[in-house]
Amino acid sequence: QVQLVESGGGLVQPGGSLRLSCAHSVVSLSIYTMAWFRQAPGKERELVARISWNGGRIDYSESVKGRFTISRDIAENTLYLQMTNLKPEDTAVYYCAKVRSSYVTSVDRPGDFDSWGQGTQVTVSP
């Protein structure tokens, strides 16, 4: 069973930065697309960033484009989300997730992912 464990969340002031990490036990990461989602209170879970199975395609939601960077270290079995210029509206629980099927790239619905971490809280407040 795949395990995903997020860390790195916390309280930060507007304009600040955080780096989230997702340690995982995904075997053959190079064949699975991975992503970061977030969910704010009272809102649906939304895709924030996605890195394709071969690393050749990276996509971001419009709300974070230019401020967030997704990356992965296959040797260390870790997925990252570098967040800069954070805004109060970035406040949410952030989750890393593994796509259900191998060699699939264009997936953005939570139902397309079959493994999730427990989430890490990010709060952006003065």
Side-chain angles (χ1 to χ4, degrees), residues 8-109:
L11 174 63
V12 63
Q13 293 184 341
S17 299
L18 283 173
R19 188 175 80 157
L20 305 183
S21 299
C22 172
H24 60 78
S25 62
V26 177
V27 177
S28 299
L29 176 64
S30 59
I31 67 172
Y32 290 106
T33 290
M34 301 284 289
W36 288 95
F37 284 78
R38 68 185 181 188
Q39 187 165 21
K43 294 188 177 181
E44 294 185 352
R45 191 168 297 192
E46 64 169 345
L47 179 69
V48 174
R50 179 183 64 215
I51 183 166
S52 66
W53 57 273
N54 62 357
R57 177 173 174 175
I58 292 177
D59 296 291
Y60 300 96
S61 66
E62 286 299 320
S63 61
V64 308
K65 195 174 294 184
R67 300 187 297 121
F68 290 11
T69 303
I70 187 173
S71 62
R72 65 182 186 177
D73 186 328
I74 293 178
E76 295 295 325
N77 275 9
T78 305
L79 182 73
Y80 299 101
L81 184 68
Q82 178 68 48
M83 306 185 294
T84 63
N85 191 21
L86 283 161
K87 304 176 181 180
E89 51 264 41
D90 295 318
T91 295
V93 177
Y94 284 72
Y95 301 89
C96 64
K98 166 195 159 291
V99 73
R100 185 180 308 279
S101 304
S102 57
Y103 304 113
V104 171
T105 298
S106 298
V107 287
D108 56 11
R109 299 173 302 175

